[in-house]
Amino acid sequence: MRLPEVERGDTLRHRALIAMISRLTGIRLPDAARVAFYHQDFAGPVLGAWTQRAMRGESGWSVYERELMAAAVASWNSCPFCVGAHGAIAVRGIDRALVDAVLNDYRTAPVSDRLKAALTFIEKVTRRPDELTAADARAALDAGLSVDDLRDAAAVASIFNVIVRYANALAFQIPSSDEFDKAAGMLLKRGYS
Amino acid sequence: MRRDGPQSHAEHARALSARVADSGDTDRALRLAVFERAARGAAVPEPYDQLVEQIARDSARVTDAQIAAVLGATGSERSAFEVILTAAIGTGLHRWDAAAAVIEEALDAPA
């Protein structure tokens, strides 16, 4: 990671926790978790609380659909860490071939019209936010999304447009497939905050 | 239709924006300027502007040199971390604001 202090921990307690979790899980604690431990006086915990709400709170989307949305946002932002991390969770609830098809090109993937409409909206949120119009929102609502579904998808997209940027900027170390899989289990169990 | 209430996305977004503004070791004016720049606001002084723009527009191309320059300017990893997160959060919240606005507009439009 580009900031060594973030990687190793900023307090004795955090360094000990990072070491202990790594030992107990048998994998190097992923950099995303190290960021969550670091400089907690700043914005991390507040971002974590929103991430927990968006990814694990009450929603018309399943946890796995939201993780797939996060992976899609990561792919549009060229963040291999987040594609790997959230793809590894998505495949625990969605067929791997379908996850791969969505990440390759959601437009041709055999997903519901509702999910496709959400992905269409959040792709524009990600790539061309200044070109968004009410017609984009209306198209998603007309495809069967409730207002809350659309807000939930927009929240996932916005949050992961934050996370992928600091993941890339800090040059997160990319875990192996096995490590991503183990970390996916931990994230499903513990959540984001 | 579920109405926005406690813990709505809008409230979380506002809380995040406020936390960036009101906490941190870096100069508050710098943080606010970085936040705005990430959302396509006015340029900030170098070496911050190059890094903020890179994070906002194409974060996969951030370089060691860009991070090192900001680390040198801020004097600490905590402060450099704040600049990085602020740029990322400013970019993300710009997207939230845009999405939330068009959703509200779609709801207000006559059927």
Side-chain angles (χ1 to χ4, degrees):
Chain A
M1 209 197 289
R2 288 187 169 121
L3 297 181
E5 191 175 88
V6 181
E7 181 169 3
R8 67 174 171 262
D10 54 351
T11 65
L12 276 174
R13 181 171 174 269
H14 288 158
R15 286 179 209 149
L17 272 170
I18 287 168
M20 184 187 71
I21 297 169
S22 297
R23 216 166 29 246
L24 286 174
T25 57
I27 63 170
R28 177 186 178 276
L29 186 67
D31 285 336
R34 294 169 192 254
V35 166
F37 276 127
Y38 187 74
H39 193 1
Q40 290 181 336
D41 296 336
F42 192 51
V46 179
L47 177 63
W50 190 16
T51 308
Q52 179 67 14
R53 163 67 180 87
M55 300 300 283
R56 298 290 185 268
E58 184 191 328
S59 176
W61 304 109
S62 72
V63 164
Y64 306 106
E65 285 172 325
R66 284 176 273 173
E67 292 288 345
L68 181 53
M69 290 180 198
V73 169
S75 73
W76 299 326
N77 281 284
S78 305
C79 181
F81 178 90
C82 288
V83 172
H86 299 285
I89 303 174
V91 297
R92 291 195 173 211
I94 299 172
D95 182 74
R96 183 176 292 274
L98 185 55
V99 169
D100 289 345
V102 168
L103 295 180
N104 189 47
D105 185 356
Y106 71 87
R107 292 172 200 81
T108 58
V111 294
S112 66
D113 288 345
R114 188 169 158 267
L115 181 56
K116 197 167 290 189
L119 289 165
T120 302
F121 185 76
I122 67 173
E123 185 182 21
K124 198 164 182 182
V125 169
T126 296
R127 294 190 192 273
R128 303 186 309 280
D130 296 332
E131 295 175 26
L132 278 168
T133 67
D136 297 310
R138 178 44 56 192
L141 296 170
D142 289 346
L145 276 71
S146 69
V147 174
D148 288 332
D149 289 344
L150 193 52
R151 286 190 182 124
D152 287 348
V156 171
S158 304
I159 289 162
F160 278 89
N161 270 283
V162 174
I163 294 172
V164 300
R165 282 174 169 75
Y166 66 70
N168 279 342
L170 290 169
F172 278 8
Q173 190 170 316
I174 310 296
S176 68
S177 302
D178 283 347
E179 288 170 331
F180 269 135
D181 185 59
K182 271 197 183 155
M186 286 194 298
L187 257 182
L188 274 171
K189 216 180 291 187
R190 294 183 49 82
Y192 289 92
S193 67
Chain B
M1 179 174 66
R2 193 175 76 207
R3 296 165 70 83
D4 271 358
Q7 304 309 308
S8 70
H9 294 305
E11 289 179 343
H12 277 285
R14 280 194 292 275
L16 185 56
S17 177
R19 184 64 170 240
V20 168
D22 298 335
S23 70
D25 299 347
T26 47
D27 179 70
R28 187 173 189 268
L30 172 65
R31 278 199 314 282
L32 293 178
V34 164
F35 183 90
E36 290 301 320
R37 179 53 161 160
R40 299 202 181 275
V44 296
E46 295 294 1
Y48 302 104
D49 201 66
Q50 207 184 105
L51 178 61
V52 175
E53 280 292 278
Q54 195 71 72
I55 287 171
R57 313 297 155 232
D58 189 356
S59 62
R61 293 182 190 274
V62 168
T63 66
D64 292 349
Q66 288 168 335
I67 298 290
V70 166
L71 182 54
T74 59
S76 79
E77 291 196 37
R78 278 170 62 102
S79 296
F81 178 78
E82 288 175 18
V83 172
I84 293 166
L85 249 69
T86 299
I89 291 168
T91 314
L93 286 180
H94 177 64
R95 280 151 176 77
W96 167 256
D97 289 345
V102 301
I103 293 171
E104 289 309 308
E105 211 181 310
L107 295 175
D108 289 341

